[in-house]
Amino acid sequence: MSEFEPLDRKERALHAEAELLDKESAGISRRQDVVEANLQRVADARAILERLSADDPTPCPEPEQEPVEPGADGPEQDDGRAAGREPRSSTARS
């Protein structure tokens, strides 16, 4: 056994630990980047909401909807026949 063997073992162990710490540090840096990006998105959203609420302090009114009778498909659609016109065919070209 050489007098350098214990030092060699210790050196290998320290290199292995340093490598492990480098990997952990890189992982932490990636996670920190993601968290900081998310924090920036939240700050941007907050700024937008603050600007919108400062511009128009009144809430938006709900859209009015016409009552629909049971069995009805909704409001009548003008298909062009009401004015004596035939609806345009998708196959007929002028």
Side-chain angles (χ1 to χ4, degrees):
M1 179 164 149
S2 156
E3 63 270 1
F4 292 104
E5 201 169 310
L7 290 174
D8 290 341
R9 280 196 305 270
K10 183 68 171 176
E11 186 178 27
R12 282 192 303 272
L14 289 170
H15 278 296
E17 186 175 1
E19 188 177 324
L20 178 64
L21 291 171
D22 283 342
K23 288 179 182 177
E24 289 177 6
S25 177
I28 289 170
S29 291
R30 283 190 299 273
R31 287 175 43 207
Q32 184 176 10
D33 290 344
V34 168
V35 168
E36 288 176 355
N38 285 333
L39 280 170
Q40 186 59 52
R41 286 186 197 103
V42 169
D44 293 345
R46 180 182 302 277
I48 289 169
L49 288 173
E50 287 173 351
R51 273 195 313 248
L52 289 173
S53 65
D55 290 347
D56 185 13
T58 59
C60 295
E62 292 294 323
E64 293 184 23
Q65 296 183 358
E66 296 180 21
V68 177
E69 294 180 24
D73 291 336
E76 299 272 334
Q77 296 293 324
D78 179 13
D79 62 3
R81 292 183 214 169
R85 298 182 308 243
E86 288 296 316
R88 292 188 70 173
S89 171
S90 60
T91 57
R93 302 270 185 226
S94 303

